[in-house]
Amino acid sequence: MPLPAVRPVLRKGVAGEAADRIRDAILSGELAAGSALKEVELASQLGVSRGSVREGLVLLEGEGLVVSEWHRGTWVRPLDPEDVEELYTLRTALDVLAMRTAAVKARNFDALDAVVGAMELARTDAERVALDIEFHDAVYAATGHRRLTEAWQAIRSQVHLFLLARIVGDPSYQGNVVPEHAGLVAVLRSGDAAKAGCAAEEHLRGSYAKLVEQR
């Protein structure tokens, strides 16, 4: 199966670069959940060895983006109801703390304003989802809380998959993504930690409800 929108790696034999290209295809939505990832085909398309592809897929499995089973191969991870529930509850706990902390500690919200501005110009839902993730990256960065940010990074790729699944069949995402995130910035600027935590919960509750409705 051809691998869409995946550029050959610049340096042969680099597993990290192979992982980057495959990750880009997954998180752009071009490699759908359940798609088989065959080492021979990927090695040929990327211009690297099978060993490099295999190592790259191990990296992506560690991120929760792919699943590998002996004698069955490797494929893009589909999100089952248990995955969705676990991601939602864990992310809610992390995002509430991040928003509360950023509301108290952060003073400059230019990075968040810039992401919201980019959302207004985005032309596809895949671009909006990538910016959605970038927005929350900036919130975590604003907390100055290293371990909290590391916890976010551990689930970041799976949350990206969650958001891609959430927009399927939901035309409202395009209209809601900008005002919802602009609202989060406004709450952060207020400096009210309790209000920021509540806003985070409400923001995520809507995404979770939409995804559950679609399944």
Side-chain angles (χ1 to χ4, degrees), residues 60 81 89 114 130 146-147 152 159 186 189:
L60 296 178
T89 53
R146 180 173 59 84
R147 287 179 174 80
W152 160 246
V159 170
R189 276 200 165 91

Coordinates of all heavy atoms in Angstrom, one line a residue, residues 60 81 89 114 130 146-147 152 159 186 189:
L60 N 7.4 4.4 17.7 CA 6.0 4.8 17.6 C 5.1 3.9 18.5 O 4.1 4.4 19.0 CB 5.6 4.7 16.2 CG 6.3 5.6 15.2 CD1 5.8 5.4 13.8 CD2 6.1 7.1 15.6
P81 N -13.2 1.9 23.0 CA -13.8 2.7 24.0 C -13.0 2.8 25.3 O -13.0 3.8 26.0 CB -15.1 1.9 24.3 CG -15.4 1.3 22.9 CD -14.1 0.9 22.4
T89 N -9.9 10.7 30.8 CA -9.8 10.9 32.3 C -8.3 11.3 32.6 O -8.2 12.2 33.5 CB -10.1 9.6 33.1 OG1 -9.4 8.5 32.6 CG2 -11.6 9.3 32.9
A114 N -0.9 33.4 19.2 CA -0.4 33.1 17.8 C -1.0 31.8 17.3 O -1.4 31.7 16.1 CB 1.1 33.0 17.9
A130 N -3.7 19.7 14.5 CA -2.3 19.9 14.8 C -2.1 21.2 15.6 O -1.3 21.2 16.6 CB -1.4 19.9 13.5
R146 N 8.1 21.1 34.9 CA 8.8 20.1 34.1 C 8.1 18.7 34.1 O 7.9 18.1 33.0 CB 10.2 20.0 34.5 CG 11.0 19.0 33.6 CD 12.5 19.0 34.0 NE 12.8 18.7 35.3 CZ 12.9 17.4 35.8 NH1 12.7 16.4 35.0 NH2 13.1 17.2 37.1
R147 N 7.8 18.2 35.2 CA 7.2 16.9 35.3 C 5.8 16.8 34.7 O 5.4 15.8 34.1 CB 7.3 16.4 36.8 CG 8.7 16.0 37.2 CD 8.7 15.5 38.7 NE 10.0 15.0 39.1 CZ 11.0 15.8 39.4 NH1 10.8 17.1 39.4 NH2 12.2 15.3 39.7
W152 N 2.4 15.1 30.0 CA 1.7 15.5 28.8 C 2.4 14.9 27.6 O 1.7 14.3 26.7 CB 1.6 17.0 28.7 CG 1.3 17.5 27.3 CD1 2.1 18.3 26.5 CD2 0.0 17.3 26.6 NE1 1.5 18.6 25.3 CE2 0.2 18.0 25.3 CE3 -1.2 16.7 26.8 CZ2 -0.8 18.1 24.4 CZ3 -2.2 16.7 25.8 CH2 -2.0 17.4 24.6
V159 N -3.3 11.5 22.2 CA -4.3 12.6 22.3 C -4.6 13.1 20.8 O -5.7 13.4 20.5 CB -3.9 13.7 23.2 CG1 -4.9 14.9 23.1 CG2 -4.0 13.2 24.7
A186 N -8.6 33.7 27.3 CA -9.2 34.7 28.1 C -9.2 34.3 29.6 O -9.0 35.1 30.5 CB -10.6 35.0 27.6
R189 N -5.8 34.6 31.1 CA -5.4 36.0 31.4 C -6.1 36.5 32.6 O -5.6 37.4 33.3 CB -5.8 36.8 30.2 CG -4.8 36.8 29.0 CD -5.0 38.0 28.1 NE -3.8 38.2 27.3 CZ -3.7 37.6 26.1 NH1 -4.7 36.9 25.6 NH2 -2.6 37.8 25.4

